[in-house]
Amino acid sequence: MEALRPLDASAFRRSLPVGRWPSATVLVVAFLLPASLRAQSDPLEGFRDYVAAAVAEWAVPGLAVAVVKEGEVRFAEGFGVRELGHTDPVGIHTLFAIGSTTKAMTAAALGMLVDEGELDWGDRVIDHLPEFQLHDPYVTREIRVRDLLTHRAGLGNADFLWYEQETTTQEILRRIRYAEPAYSFRAGYTYQNIMYAAAGQVVAAVSGVPWADFVQRRIFDPLGMDGSIPTMATLSDQPDVALPHGMVGGELTVIENASVDPVAAAGSVWSSVHDMSRWMAFLLRGGVTDGGERLLSEETHAELFTPHTIIPLDQFYPTARLTRPRWTTYGLGWFQHDYRGRAVDFHTGSIDGMVAIHGLIREENLGVYVLANRDHAELRHAIMYRVFDQFGDGPGRDWSVDLKQLYDGLAREAEEARARAEADRVAGTMPSLDEDAYVGEYHDRLHGTVTVSRDDAGRLRLEYGPGLRGDLEHWHYDTFRVTWDAGWRGTSLTTFRLDEDARIFRLELGDGAFARVESQP
């Protein structure tokens, strides 16, 4: 018996009279075609309903998603509302903070300068920023422009330098010289925003215009991203903006925006899925605008997606527990891994009450972008993988259900850790000194200044920058718990250290050790 040959559906359709597709014939063709080919007739069938159900299941106030395939926007839609309790809907032009998906734009900006011969990826940073200095003189001398983008400079996270602080980019980069290495130069990986801030300064130094202006003129304008803004500074002037939401006291509520402007090149852009679909299409076309203008050379475009840093699996996203990648790397502004035999380039963005994800399968000319206005709304991953599945062999699993189960489990683990910390509290202890003795100013050349004071009601208060203020209450011994006024930031423990004369000489908060600078009684 002759083996069955694949059915040529297009030839079969041409053999029928125009406009006549008998229902029985349609059923036969649908039955004979492989599932992967049947899906191609409408790869996004059911996708809108899937997203709407996921938005409700994850209790996300508002979300927008765009899908680009073969240079065309195949899907772009908003779901939900800009602000909980109000009716203004999220649309395709609604602005959200895109967070660290900004990093790919910074890498592209440097790439444009490489193409113009103004710099090279291998240039020493100090040749463009002579004042740039890290703790190790060798690293200061040898760190290259490419190293700024690959999270391998040997530094720890160091977000305390900018998060809710009143520090300028210049001051942040001045202080980073005091940060001791967390690992050897180019011998590890730690996600790092400060080096991207330095990359933005390189853009400014080489081009002669600030990073924000460069991104506006060289990326937003030629791509027609007319609604996008490079920093939060002009957000109040925008008409269609999503508000951030987070959990406060067990309830989802509107919270305050956190500015990323001090490290703008790492994550300060606000945009919409309408505009980001243009950015996606540009990248999928290899650096060419829809009008045919090449903004990035083929060589530079390829460099952006070349793996530079191997990421240990335990430092990758929790989603890897389900996707089970064989490799996880970082390019220039892009996380990378394999998924069902396909190479994925992606990046998330996260800042208080806002999330984003940008995913590309470049070999298939496929991209997806998601924005949402709830803190760490991880359905963004579910939507990305759902798109990849629907343009592949069809849905392989219900990503929304499975990832919600995963992240709910992680939330329970975090709650159990908090419960253990509470159980470790030593009951019945007292501070070594009267509360007034703890009032004062504490300073560290790297971390900045912490102030402890009393308010009008007599309560101890701690302030570490304009956004980190809260009440202090005794925990045990000379450790106090600060409950931040911004309830979505939770609580932290701070410990006061006493010398042999029972005088406070240091305050410890997070990774910072702040020396007492005021006189004591």
Side-chain angles (χ1 to χ4, degrees):
M1 179 176 177
E2 183 180 357
L4 291 175
R5 291 176 295 176
L7 179 65
D8 184 342
S10 60
F12 182 82
R13 184 162 59 254
R14 289 194 300 271
S15 70
L16 293 174
V18 175
R20 294 185 61 191
W21 271 82
S23 58
T25 303
V26 174
L27 290 175
V28 169
V29 172
F31 176 76
L32 290 175
L33 281 173
S36 59
L37 292 181
R38 292 201 305 272
Q40 295 309 308
S41 61
D42 184 8
L44 290 175
E45 181 179 359
F47 179 66
R48 178 179 287 103
D49 292 341
Y50 186 84
V51 174
V55 168
E57 179 64 23
W58 290 73
V60 173
L63 177 144
V65 56
V67 178
V68 171
K69 174 68 172 172
E70 305 297 344
E72 297 181 359
V73 177
R74 298 289 294 272
F75 185 94
E77 192 166 325
F79 299 80
V81 294
R82 288 185 271 171
E83 179 181 0
L84 201 61
H86 293 72
T87 58
D88 291 333
V90 168
I92 63 172
H93 295 284
T94 301
L95 294 184
F96 294 76
I98 76 166
S100 288
T101 61
T102 299
K103 288 180 169 66
M105 296 177 180
T106 297
L110 286 169
M112 292 174 183
L113 295 172
V114 169
D115 285 341
E116 293 167 5
E118 298 295 329
L119 64 80
D120 187 86
W121 296 114
D123 284 356
R124 298 191 308 172
V125 175
I126 57 173
D127 289 339
H128 299 289
L129 302 178
E131 71 283 4
F132 183 77
Q133 184 176 334
L134 295 176
H135 192 276
D136 186 332
Y138 168 78
V139 181
T140 299
R141 185 177 70 250
E142 292 301 322
I143 190 168
R144 310 295 167 139
V145 170
R146 185 184 285 107
D147 295 316
L148 299 178
L149 307 177
T150 53
H151 308 297
R152 63 185 187 186
L155 295 171
N157 178 266
D159 282 343
F160 55 81
L161 285 170
W162 63 270
Y163 180 72
E164 291 303 300
Q165 302 295 311
E166 291 183 323
T167 43
T168 64
T169 307
Q170 291 76 12
E171 173 64 11
I172 291 167
L173 295 181
R174 185 192 71 79
R175 285 197 211 166
I176 199 64
R177 69 190 64 186
Y178 303 125
E180 295 187 8
Y183 58 93
S184 296
F185 181 46
R186 296 181 187 150
Y189 162 87
T190 296
Y191 191 80
Q192 231 290 328
N193 287 303
I194 309 303
M195 292 298 95
Y196 267 83
Q201 294 299 98
V202 171
V203 170
V206 173
S207 68
V209 299
W211 171 88
D213 291 346
F214 189 96
V215 168
Q216 180 69 54
R217 299 174 191 175
R218 301 291 297 274
I219 296 177
F220 294 170
D221 291 347
L223 295 184
M225 299 171 65
D226 299 332
S228 300
I229 56 175
T231 66
M232 203 177 82
T234 61
L235 185 64
S236 60
D237 300 331
Q238 310 306 316
D240 185 359
V241 181
L243 275 66
H245 296 76
M247 297 298 292
V248 179
E251 294 187 5
L252 186 64
T253 186
V254 174
I255 63 176
E256 298 171 7
N257 281 311
S259 176
V260 192
D261 290 2
V263 287
S268 68
V269 168
W270 284 69
S271 190
S272 65
V273 294
H274 171 273
D275 283 11
M276 293 306 287
S277 67
R278 292 177 176 268
W279 170 243
M280 276 197 292
F282 164 74
L283 292 170
L284 291 171
R285 282 192 296 265
V288 178
T289 69
D290 58 5
E293 180 185 3
R294 178 167 287 284
L295 303 184
L296 288 169
S297 69
E298 292 182 7
E299 180 181 3
T300 294
H301 179 268
E303 181 71 14
L304 300 180
F305 297 100
T306 298
H308 291 285
T309 303
I310 295 175
I311 303 177
L313 200 57
D314 62 357
Q315 291 182 262
F316 205 66
Y317 291 82
T319 53
R321 300 182 189 183
L322 301 181
T323 58
R324 299 185 180 278
R326 294 178 179 270
W327 48 266
T328 49
T329 56
Y330 199 88
L332 301 184
W334 294 96
F335 288 99
Q336 301 163 314
H337 73 107
D338 59 296
Y339 172 63
R340 299 178 72 178
R342 303 146 88 189
V344 173
D345 300 286
F346 78 105
H347 213 291
T348 55
S350 303
I351 190 64
D352 296 9
M354 293 276 183
V355 299
I357 197 166
H358 186 181
L360 303 174
I361 299 181
R362 290 178 293 119
E363 290 182 349
E364 299 175 17
N365 211 342
L366 173 63
V368 56
Y369 198 92
V370 180
L371 290 163
N373 62 349
R374 176 171 178 172
D375 199 67
H376 283 87
E378 303 303 346
L379 82 164
R380 54 183 167 176
H381 294 276
I383 293 171
M384 181 181 75
Y385 289 120
R386 180 74 179 198
V387 170
F388 292 163
D389 286 352
Q390 290 199 215
F391 278 92
D393 294 329
R397 67 191 309 163
D398 190 331
W399 281 106
S400 179
V401 169
D402 291 350
L403 283 176
K404 192 168 191 310
Q405 182 179 7
L406 171 64
Y407 279 96
D408 284 351
L410 294 174
R412 286 193 297 271
E413 291 175 10
E415 187 58 41
E416 291 167 0
R418 283 190 289 269
R420 288 193 297 272
E422 186 79 31
D424 290 339
R425 182 179 185 178
V426 181
T429 66
M430 297 287 291
S432 299
L433 305 172
D434 181 82
E435 284 190 348
D436 285 338
Y438 299 88
V439 172
E441 187 174 283
Y442 302 80
H443 182 75
D444 176 67
R445 63 181 184 176
L446 171 63
H447 292 79
T449 300
V450 171
T451 302
V452 177
S453 61
R454 280 196 183 275
D455 65 10
D456 294 340
R459 295 171 300 190
L460 283 179
R461 297 274 294 169
L462 182 144
E463 178 179 338
Y464 181 36
L468 296 174
R469 299 172 178 171
D471 292 337
L472 278 174
E473 61 175 326
H474 181 248
W475 182 252
H476 62 203
Y477 301 113
D478 288 309
T479 295
F480 289 71
R481 178 171 65 183
V482 55
T483 300
W484 302 113
D485 294 346
W488 59 96
R489 296 190 180 119
T491 63
S492 301
L493 294 179
T494 183
T495 298
F496 296 85
R497 300 297 182 185
L498 279 62
D499 62 18
E500 62 273 14
D501 295 322
R503 293 163 58 90
I504 299 169
F505 71 93
R506 188 171 70 215
L507 177 155
E508 297 172 358
L509 177 65
D511 294 330
F514 303 80
R516 183 73 176 258
V517 296
E518 281 190 321
S519 62
Q520 301 177 67

